[in-house]
Structures are given as structure tokens and as C-alpha cells.
Amino acid sequence: MSRYGRLTASRRLGVALLVGAIFAAAGPVSWATFDGASRQELPRYSGELGSDPTFEWAIPSWWPVSLPPPPPPAPPPALTPTAAPAPPIGAHFHCQYGSPYYTNAGRAAVLDKLKAAGVTWVRMDPAWSWLETGRGIQNKENLAALDTCVNMTRQRGLNIVMVFRGTPGWANGKAGIAVPPTNPADFQR
């Protein structure tokens, strides 16, 4: 290896002192530091030469340097729009009521309007006393009207909440439609 290929420790110290003297003669040292990879200017550093190990290389602020502008930032990733699910909206509809309130055409018109308005749930409240007039005696006409309402509602893709009301007199000793049955098993069957 040639004698210039390697600096001895004393020569390195001499070079460091010479560089330090040059910088000291120029006045206080204020460094503009640059990131070695992107060459973007980092916050200014003032202090002793070599006392900040966080930057890769530094240039004194008085040194004539022209650096290329940093590249533009990468565009943000494209957002994929996702539609939030519609909140469940419900309406109460006495669909099972017959004439003079509703015909099948009238029921269909009301259900179509509910669907168009964004309703997703329909609440129906048939009366137990209306469906079962005596123990085990079912009113077939009223059950058929309720079946028609359920089928028409489901054909439109609407969900149903069925709430039974009105206890028949035979189930509670004729205490009134708002009084629960004497024997809960009558309602369960």
C-alpha cells in the first residue's frame, strides 16, 4: 500500500485540526444538515464539530452548495369508497285490518310506499282474541288476512316484527283484553 493510501492517527489528527481551524476562522459554526438518502435539509445544528452523531453529513451554512430540490411526496393511496349499511328503519302497519280499512290493493300500495321510503322493518300487531275466538277455535278469515299481510310484506323484502295483543275473554275469565291469560300455557300453544 502506498504511503498516501492510509493516514496514520497523527496525520488524521492534523487534518482534523486543519479543518477545524478553517471553520473556526470562518466564525461560529452553524450547520445545515442533510439526510444522505433524500438530501432533504434537516433542522439546523449549532455546536462543536462532530458532536452530533445523528446526521450522515453536514455542510456549513456559509458553504456555497446547490442541492437538487427534494422529490415530490408520493400521492396518498386511493380510498375505496364503502357504503355504510343503511340503518334499520321501521313502521307500524295495521295490515291485517280488513274492510273498511284495507283491501289487498290498499295493502300493496301502503307496503310499496313504506319500501320506497326506506323502511326495512314492518311491525304488525294482530289481536290474539281476533285470531282465536275460543280455546282451539281459530278464525280462518282473520288468519288468512294475516297470512296475506305476511306474504305481501316478505315479497317486498321487508322484515316483520309480530306483536300479539288482546287476550281473548276465554283465556282470562273475561277480565278484559289488557289482562294477561290466567294460564300462560294457553298463550304458548
Side-chain angles (χ1 to χ4, degrees), residues 2-151:
S2 74
R3 64 182 225 195
Y4 299 108
R6 190 193 304 203
L7 291 175
T8 62
S10 62
R11 286 194 177 161
R12 280 194 305 259
L13 179 59
V15 170
L17 290 174
L18 177 62
V19 170
I22 293 171
F23 288 144
V29 178
S30 175
W31 298 90
T33 58
F34 295 86
D35 177 359
S38 66
R39 297 178 60 94
Q40 293 182 357
E41 186 171 349
L42 300 173
R44 295 237 175 230
Y45 164 75
S46 296
E48 294 181 23
L49 185 63
S51 64
D52 186 359
T54 60
F55 58 86
E56 294 184 26
W57 54 284
I59 301 172
S61 57
W62 47 264
W63 193 274
V65 172
S66 70
L67 294 174
L79 298 176
T80 305
T82 56
I89 298 173
H92 187 102
F93 178 34
H94 294 291
C95 181
Q96 72 276 3
Y97 287 11
S99 179
Y101 303 105
Y102 292 108
T103 62
N104 282 343
R107 290 179 179 114
V110 170
L111 288 169
D112 289 339
K113 288 178 183 179
L114 291 174
K115 177 74 174 178
V119 169
T120 55
W121 287 88
V122 174
R123 179 183 186 265
M124 296 179 194
D125 64 343
W128 178 20
S129 59
W130 182 70
L131 298 173
E132 190 175 19
T133 55
R135 179 170 292 160
I137 302 171
Q138 298 173 346
N139 184 319
K140 295 189 187 312
E141 184 180 329
N142 290 343
L143 282 171
L146 184 60
D147 284 343
T148 299
C149 288
V150 168
N151 292 334

